[in-house]
Amino acid sequence: MTLKTKNYIKSTWQLWVMLIPAIVYIFIFNYVPMYGIQLAFREYSFASGITGGKWVGLKYFKQYFSSAMFWTTLINTFRIAVVSIIVGFPAPIILAMILNQIKNRVWKKTIQTTVYIPYFISVVVMVSMLNIMLANGSGVIANFLKDLHIVPRKMNLLGDPKAFVPVYVLSGVWQTVGWNSIIYLAALSAVDPELYDACKVDGASKWQTIIHVDFPAIVPTIVILLILNMGGILNVGFDKIYLMQNSLNLGVSQVISTYVYNVGVRSAQFSFGSAVGLFNTLVNFVFLIFTNSLSKRLSGSGLM
């Protein structure tokens, strides 16, 4: 062991000790379960267990790729994920920059508390609220939107395939926008106050201050979070989508995660479900690497 290595360990050993619980947690709950990946390549049976089944290679991947549900689940998943990123990703950024411009502390805290509260509503309660407020004929929000002619009078917001993605995405934005804005507010709090004073002296408007001071300050944070979001592009919320599914919107709400549950768990096709889930993970990994590489080329910053 070199003198440089010894000095490094001596000066940073406390930090490594603090990291040990996180490393142990990740190893137990993220790496150890990877042992079960082989299930996607075996003919699983209860008697043989995970490792005792016949090795069938890519059989279940080919079965999924050639099935009628492949393109349906893939397109539905991409559609929901892309719309969620396009609509949902900029929302907390905009909210954080607006809140940062509010100088009245009481008013600012009131708004923050108001927009944070929906995050603590469980998914089950959220979907129940949607079923009540968007019910055809008796839903308060449904009738309000129809009275304003935003949606057609005959549209069933809970059953119409055209309404599923907007309802899913917008309800998700309402629930999470406040909580997701916290990290951007933390980044904005690190901005040197002298920059705002300089903007006032130069006669800059609030809009110009946001564009030339606030936004550049949170660009690194935006890049990192965008990469992380792209790394899970196909991991749309299973629980919420599953609870919102019905026979009317199944054509647009059947995504990879719900398909894995229906086929792999409910139909006891564990090997097939594992193969579909592994494919989903591999696509997410490819998007993560691609987005990270693109970010490093364009902005010079990335995860690795």
Side-chain angles (χ1 to χ4, degrees):
M1 185 179 295
T2 63
L3 180 62
K4 184 177 180 181
T5 303
K6 289 181 179 179
N7 292 334
Y8 173 76
I9 295 175
K10 184 178 179 180
S11 61
T12 62
W13 68 269
Q14 297 95 336
L15 299 177
W16 285 103
V17 170
M18 292 174 62
L19 279 174
I20 288 176
I23 294 173
V24 172
Y25 176 87
I26 291 174
F27 177 76
I28 294 175
F29 294 101
N30 292 88
Y31 283 93
V32 173
M34 288 185 183
Y35 178 76
I37 288 177
Q38 60 182 298
L39 191 62
F41 305 95
R42 292 184 180 276
E43 189 78 47
Y44 176 77
S45 67
F46 289 97
S48 303
I50 294 178
T51 60
K54 178 184 177 182
W55 185 268
V56 294
L58 301 177
K59 171 186 174 181
Y60 294 108
F61 293 92
K62 295 177 181 178
Q63 180 179 333
Y64 175 55
F65 297 153
S66 60
S67 68
M69 292 302 298
F70 172 67
W71 286 111
T72 299
T73 55
L74 190 64
I75 291 173
N76 289 345
T77 305
F78 265 109
R79 181 189 295 117
I80 295 173
V82 170
V83 175
S84 296
I85 291 177
I86 292 175
V87 177
F89 187 77
I93 301 173
I94 296 171
L95 177 62
M97 291 192 290
I98 292 174
L99 290 174
N100 192 58
Q101 293 297 316
I102 300 176
K103 303 305 178 184
N104 188 309
R105 294 188 63 182
V106 176
W107 181 233
K108 183 177 181 179
K109 294 294 183 182
T110 302
I111 295 177
Q112 284 181 298
T113 303
T114 303
V115 296
Y116 291 169
I117 288 176
Y119 180 80
F120 299 98
I121 301 175
S122 70
V123 175
V124 175
V125 174
M126 168 62 70
V127 176
S128 298
M129 292 171 60
L130 291 176
N131 289 332
I132 294 172
M133 294 187 292
L134 299 180
N136 197 27
S138 60
V140 176
I141 294 181
N143 291 334
F144 177 73
L145 294 175
K146 291 175 181 179
D147 290 340
L148 293 179
H149 301 288
I150 297 176
V151 298
R153 177 64 62 177
K154 296 182 179 180
M155 176 177 281
N156 180 2
L157 293 175
L158 296 174
D160 195 311
K162 295 180 181 178
F164 179 82
V165 176
V167 170
Y168 174 85
V169 173
L170 293 178
S171 62
V173 171
W174 172 74
Q175 187 175 16
T176 61
V177 64
W179 185 261
N180 291 340
S181 68
I182 293 176
I183 191 169
Y184 298 110
L185 286 171
L188 288 170
S189 66
V191 177
D192 190 347
E194 292 183 0
L195 293 176
Y196 295 114
D197 296 334
C199 288
K200 291 181 180 179
V201 171
D202 293 339
S205 63
K206 287 189 175 182
W207 175 250
Q208 291 172 323
T209 302
I210 291 174
I211 295 297
H212 298 289
V213 177
D214 290 346
F215 186 73
I218 61 175
V219 165
T221 305
I222 293 174
V223 171
I224 297 300
L225 291 179
L226 179 60
I227 294 172
L228 293 174
N229 274 270
M230 292 299 294
I233 188 169
L234 296 187
N235 290 340
V236 295
F238 160 78
D239 43 3
K240 185 177 178 181
I241 290 181
Y242 185 74
L243 291 171
M244 291 179 63
Q245 275 185 354
N246 55 56
S247 58
L248 298 176
N249 61 30
L250 193 60
V252 295
S253 64
Q254 185 72 287
V255 296
I256 294 177
S257 57
T258 58
Y259 183 63
V260 169
Y261 173 73
N262 288 325
V263 176
V265 179
R266 297 184 63 182
S267 300
Q269 299 181 45
F270 300 111
S271 294
F272 181 72
S274 298
V276 178
L278 182 57
F279 165 75
N280 183 66
T281 302
L282 290 175
V283 173
N284 287 334
F285 180 73
V286 170
F287 269 94
L288 174 63
I289 298 300
F290 173 76
T291 308
N292 184 68
S293 301
L294 184 63
S295 172
K296 291 182 70 174
R297 288 185 180 182
L298 298 179
S299 65
S301 61
L303 290 176
M304 48 188 175

